[in-house]
Amino acid sequence: MSAVNGQESAQPLLEVRDLRVSVAADPEIEIVKGVDLAVRPGEVHALMGPNGSGKSTLANAIAGSPEYVIDSGEVHFQGEDVTALTADARARMGMFLSFQYPTPIPGVTMVNLLRMAMKARSGEEPPAREFLQQLREVLKTLRIDEDFARRYVNDGFSGGEKKRAEILQLGMLKPQLAILDETDSGLDVDALRTVAEGVSALHNPEMGILLITHYQRILNYITPDFVHVLVDGRIVRSGGADLAHRIEADGYDPILQELGQPAGAAT
Amino acid sequence: MTTVNPKAREAVGEYQWGFHDTEAPLFRADKGLDEEVVRQISGLKDEPEWMREFRLESLRTFFEKEDPTWAGSPDLLEAIDFDAITYYVRATDRDSTDWDDVPEYIKDTFDKLGIPEAERQFLAGAGAQYDSEVVYHNIREDLAKQGVVFLGMDQGLAEYGDLVEEHFGTVVPPGDNKYAALNSAVWSGGSFIYVPPGVHVEVPLQAYFRINTESMGQFERTLIIADEGSYVHYVEGCTAPIYSTDSLHSAVVEIIVKKDARVRYTTIQNWSNNVYNLVTKRAVAYENAVMEWVDGNIGSKLTMKYPSVYLMEPGAHGEILSLAFAGDGQHQDAGGKVIHVAPDTSSAIVSKSVSRGSGRTSYRGLLKVEEGAEGSTSTVRCDALLLDEHSRSDTYPTMEVDEERVNIGHEASVSKLGDDQLFYLMSRGLTEEEAGKMVVNGFVEPIVKELPMEYAIELNRLIELQMEGSVG
């Protein structure tokens, strides 16, 4: 693993090269149709796009979900080709996916999961005192009650609690790359602010963020360095934060029209 | 009556250190079963007349009884050759299993669980356990001061004949089922416990605490009497695998929970996978009494066991927590039965089963509310987890409710170890195998958390061992 310093920070943390992805259950259907993307340490990239454009598929494929098949192209992480690696190997290298729909694991407490995940990451069990101290800090940042850590993972959580639990894991695992798959969906205004401010607080100059969202509103709290618009499995526009503001104002229709696609897909 | 195996005796020396052994000469009954064998067993134990008659009557019942018609694996039951079984072996003789004969997988599991050497030999039937006598001496003294009786069943019969005669066979009559009849005819070993009124036994009682008796007989018989307002937690067995050359283990457990008393009976069954484990466990609970069965089944080839509670008087409460794990070639047919006889009684059954490979789990339960038991409440919840495409789980819940003013809930679920759960945990850095173990340990958590700490830890480790190589 290469340490991040001034010189190497120019090297992409994540590099996606002409990636094509289909669904394992139905390989005929290609969803991601050739995507190139490079995220450097400290950068925040927002990936936006209408429903069904392939955002979540791209996120899951980068994280190594077995539900998807990479037909061609490569995923490089920290300078290594990880295309053939399983999700756990990628995670141990410092990749983190915040799920759009986190899965309940009944009977397993958040604390238990966090300890196991940190152990998997570093190779040894985190010392109890430091673990607790870090846990308290992150819980405070996310305005989560301490009892929360003793609840079973995502089991009976409200939509907001699920997203907070994801960001709690982000804060404990301190990954090099955080992929946030619609972390803003299903949240009311207050919950959104807490979660988004939490992400901002946890962001550091060595961490790259790929933030997948349908709406611009989370970007009010987390300012992206780059905004990409994904339509029908391809990145069709890339720009700065202003691109997100234009989408906020006009929706996706103008972009779709320029592409000669039927408007109204983005609602 | 110290139990000494020949090897150990060699090591210690012959009697000269005051190591006294009052055992009768070694005895092993002939294979097969008839009245003569039963008379011999009773005679060797120097039992009272009534027990001999009880055994003989039970034997006749056994010969008359057929296998249960509802059995989930009738072919397995039919394969039991009753004539090939030795029905009585003196403890002194039983210890003769050679450590070298113990299968490798059992030894491996001992290794992985970190069981101390002396205990391993004991568990594998290859040694007597001297150390425990010293360790548990103090516990026994405390119990004696409180008037708690904790003896082997044979010794209990010898010393507390009247108490035993009053209760023996009243909760599980020999005619209850074929295997209860067999046990009643040839029983040997097991525990006898009496807790006086108002006494709370703080330490869970374990068979290990008993001296001079085997903790793991083939036809064990246990009788527990908890007098009014008392409390006791009995822990049977342990999480380490029990190696046995005997193919059939058929125990009977009877428990009487008097007014305001509470009994918890915890079992972790981990017989080696050549053993048929056919056990009848039943308790009667009187006014405001509480009976709790915590029953874990990990080992054996076939287990058929349905701990039951009869709620005899108002306010009685029964609880059954059942956990089963069936690996390749195993059938865990487990569950529980509750019979509401009196009004305002309550019960809860929670069953969790995991099947892997060709393993099969069945939940078999009975909830019966008799006429007049109005105001009774009961919840039954059974969850099954399948680890792969081949594993199987069935649910046979029976409800007989003859009273209208009752509150009954029943929930059942079957789930498969989910790809989404595996991916979620793998995306946190856990390997596929670690992820699978975590999901399964979480699934059984509601039962495991009811176990004493050291058992909970061992059980989790044991399940992890069972899971090795199961995913991916």
Side-chain angles (χ1 to χ4, degrees):
Chain A
M1 250 183 268
S2 65
V4 176
N5 59 36
Q7 284 171 319
E8 281 175 335
S9 66
Q11 290 298 314
L13 199 55
L14 173 75
E15 206 179 352
V16 175
R17 297 179 189 163
D18 194 22
L19 198 70
R20 291 172 183 271
V21 183
S22 57
V23 184
D26 192 357
E28 298 296 300
I29 302 172
E30 193 172 68
I31 296 178
V32 174
K33 301 170 180 173
V35 164
D36 289 278
L37 190 67
V39 179
R40 288 174 177 77
E43 290 179 353
V44 177
H45 289 244
L47 184 69
M48 303 183 70
N51 287 331
S53 58
K55 303 187 297 291
S56 279
T57 300
L58 180 60
N60 278 277
I62 292 171
S65 168
E67 268 189 65
Y68 300 98
V69 176
I70 293 179
D71 296 320
S72 67
E74 286 170 8
V75 178
H76 288 244
F77 182 50
Q78 308 212 35
E80 233 181 274
D81 184 353
V82 299
T83 319
L85 295 186
T86 51
D88 53 317
R90 299 182 199 199
R92 288 194 295 272
M93 287 174 68
M95 199 188 276
F96 179 86
L97 173 65
S98 168
F99 283 64
Q100 185 178 3
Y101 304 109
T103 312
I105 317 282
V108 176
T109 61
M110 288 298 299
V111 167
N112 191 0
L113 171 64
L114 289 168
R115 290 185 70 89
M116 282 294 286
M118 289 168 80
K119 187 183 168 194
R121 187 74 207 283
S122 69
E124 55 194 56
E125 193 113 0
R129 183 185 293 243
E130 288 159 42
F131 173 81
L132 268 180
Q133 198 181 347
Q134 194 192 342
L135 180 63
R136 289 213 177 95
E137 279 167 24
V138 180
L139 286 169
K140 205 173 157 194
T141 306
L142 295 172
R143 290 177 212 163
I144 304 175
D145 196 80
E146 279 195 25
D147 290 341
F148 188 79
R150 280 186 285 278
R151 287 176 65 186
Y152 295 151
V153 178
N154 302 322
D155 193 23
F157 284 14
S158 70
E161 284 172 333
K162 282 186 181 175
K163 297 301 168 74
R164 268 182 233 211
E166 293 294 285
I167 304 309
L168 168 62
Q169 294 173 60
L170 170 71
M172 295 299 285
L173 291 171
K174 298 192 171 131
Q176 264 77 51
L177 175 72
I179 305 166
L180 309 179
D181 187 7
E182 306 225 4
T183 295
D184 53 344
S185 69
L187 296 183
D188 63 30
V189 181
D190 293 328
L192 175 71
R193 187 192 302 123
T194 311
V195 167
E197 285 177 353
V199 173
S200 286
L202 297 169
H203 187 213
N204 62 57
E206 281 153 30
M207 184 195 289
I209 294 180
L210 179 59
L211 193 158
I212 285 145
T213 180
H214 183 82
Y215 299 107
Q216 191 270 340
R217 56 181 194 163
I218 192 172
L219 303 178
N220 292 334
Y221 306 97
I222 306 166
T223 309
D225 301 301
F226 301 93
V227 175
H228 311 279
V229 179
L230 194 71
V231 173
D232 192 25
R234 291 182 184 89
I235 290 178
V236 296
R237 293 284 182 279
S238 287
D242 56 315
L243 179 54
H245 291 296
R246 262 185 282 145
I247 292 168
E248 168 80 347
D250 307 330
Y252 292 103
D253 281 357
I255 297 173
L256 294 173
Q257 275 161 3
E258 285 171 40
L259 293 167
Q261 297 220 359
T267 44
Chain B
M1 219 188 85
T2 307
T3 314
V4 188
N5 87 339
K7 273 191 193 162
R9 186 177 291 145
E10 231 168 74
V12 173
E14 207 59 48
Y15 308 127
Q16 54 198 355
W17 307 112
F19 215 83
H20 85 271
D21 185 348
T22 57
E23 293 271 9
L26 299 185
F27 175 79
R28 180 186 286 268
D30 290 337
K31 283 187 177 174
L33 189 56
D34 55 25
E35 286 207 2
E36 192 46 40
V37 168
V38 170
R39 278 181 205 281
Q40 270 185 328
I41 294 172
S42 191
L44 277 161
K45 291 170 178 283
D46 204 13
E47 288 178 346
E49 177 70 23
W50 72 265
M51 183 55 83
R52 184 163 65 247
E53 286 310 310
F54 177 87
R55 286 180 183 272
L56 290 168
E57 184 60 37
S58 301
L59 182 68
R60 286 188 278 276
T61 307
F62 168 70
F63 287 137
E64 285 161 18
K65 285 261 176 196
E66 299 289 331
D67 277 327
T69 51
W70 44 263
S73 286
D75 46 327
L76 286 182
L77 284 184
E78 276 165 28
I80 300 174
D81 181 358
F82 290 102
D83 288 330
I85 293 168
T86 303
Y87 286 91
Y88 181 62
V89 184
R90 265 248 188 262
T92 32
D93 203 16
R94 184 183 285 278
D95 289 337
S96 59
T97 305
D98 198 317
W99 178 245
D100 294 336
D101 293 338
V102 176
E104 279 306 313
Y105 79 95
I106 298 265
K107 289 181 182 171
D108 273 359
T109 310
F110 285 155
D111 268 344
K112 288 172 178 167
L113 286 172
I115 308 280
E117 191 64 38
E119 226 164 283
R120 293 181 195 198
Q121 300 240 344
F122 175 74
L123 293 168
Q129 202 183 23
Y130 294 110
D131 297 347
S132 64
E133 296 200 13
V134 184
V135 176
Y136 299 130
H137 182 76
N138 292 339
I139 294 170
R140 285 196 306 272
E141 289 220 316
D142 285 351
L143 292 177
K145 269 184 215 151
Q146 291 181 296
V148 175
V149 178
F150 184 25
L151 298 169
M153 193 66 237
D154 296 275
Q155 211 181 340
L157 175 62
E159 293 181 26
Y160 296 87
D162 292 345
L163 198 56
V164 173
E165 186 174 5
E166 188 187 339
H167 296 98
F168 200 93
T170 59
V171 183
V172 180
D176 187 80
N177 66 73
K178 182 172 175 164
Y179 297 92
L182 177 63
N183 175 282
S184 299
V186 301
W187 71 266
S188 197
S191 293
F192 173 68
I193 297 173
Y194 171 76
V195 188
V199 170
H200 283 232
V201 182
E202 301 300 338
V203 197
L205 295 186
Q206 306 182 39
Y208 273 16
F209 296 175
R210 279 197 277 111
I211 40 166
N212 297 342
T213 42
E214 258 181 286
S215 65
M216 284 288 155
Q218 192 179 357
F219 298 102
E220 282 182 306
R221 184 89 190 195
T222 289
L223 174 62
I224 300 174
I225 303 162
D227 218 324
E228 293 190 2
S230 68
Y231 169 73
V232 67
H233 180 186
Y234 181 73
V235 183
E236 173 197 46
C238 54
T239 49
I242 308 296
Y243 171 63
S244 174
T245 47
D246 303 317
S247 61
L248 175 62
H249 174 249
S250 185
V252 167
V253 178
E254 301 180 280
I255 302 179
I256 292 135
V257 197
K258 295 196 175 171
K259 183 174 181 246
D260 296 325
R262 179 176 162 211
V263 174
R264 171 173 282 216
Y265 190 109
T266 298
T267 307
I268 303 295
Q269 173 274 114
N270 195 13
W271 290 100
S272 48
N273 54 22
N274 57 326
V275 170
Y276 290 85
N277 185 46
L278 312 173
V279 175
T280 308
K281 291 182 165 171
R282 190 174 300 159
V284 286
Y286 293 94
E287 194 180 335
N288 294 325
V290 176
M291 175 65 213
E292 298 158 316
W293 294 104
V294 181
D295 199 58
N297 294 291
I298 308 291
S300 84
K301 173 193 273 184
L302 169 67
T303 285
M304 292 174 70
K305 183 166 38 150
Y306 325 97
S308 44
V309 188
Y310 280 68
L311 303 166
M312 306 300 288
E313 291 181 349
H317 177 74
E319 209 150 303
I320 300 163
L321 305 177
S322 174
L323 166 67
F325 192 115
D328 270 329
Q330 292 183 291
H331 185 179
Q332 305 285 10
D333 198 320
K337 299 190 236 176
V338 180
I339 292 89
H340 292 257
V341 180
D344 301 318
T345 48
S346 58
S347 66
I349 301 178
V350 178
S351 161
K352 297 260 178 188
S353 72
V354 182
S355 358
R356 171 193 168 188
S358 63
R360 186 178 162 196
T361 58
S362 307
Y363 168 77
R364 205 177 292 278
L366 171 69
L367 174 66
K368 189 172 166 66
V369 182
E370 295 193 349
E371 201 181 330
E374 77 261 11
S376 291
T377 61
S378 178
T379 58
V380 178
R381 163 151 207 110
C382 32
D383 298 317
L385 179 63
L386 305 176
L387 294 189
D388 51 60
E389 305 293 339
H390 312 288
S391 45
R392 173 175 170 189
S393 176
D394 306 285
T395 307
Y396 307 97
T398 305
M399 291 209 185
E400 296 171 18
V401 181
D402 298 324
E403 176 61 52
E404 280 174 18
R405 287 156 297 169
V406 293
N407 190 352
I408 288 169
H410 182 264
E411 285 178 77
S413 77
V414 180
S415 51
K416 202 180 161 294
L417 179 59
D419 290 339
D420 49 348
Q421 288 179 320
L422 290 179
F423 175 55
Y424 185 82
L425 295 175
M426 286 173 74
S427 77
R428 301 314 185 231
L430 278 69
T431 63
E432 188 167 7
E433 191 162 298
E434 288 169 341
K437 287 174 182 176
M438 185 175 256
V439 173
V440 171
N441 273 335
F443 176 77
V444 300
E445 170 65 15
I447 310 264
V448 172
K449 74 175 184 205
E450 296 296 328
L451 297 174
M453 178 74 91
E454 69 270 28
Y455 284 83
I457 292 167
E458 270 195 16
L459 188 69
N460 278 338
R461 265 192 291 173
L462 199 65
I463 287 173
E464 288 178 4
L465 292 179
Q466 289 262 22
M467 291 281 296
E468 257 164 33
S470 67
V471 202

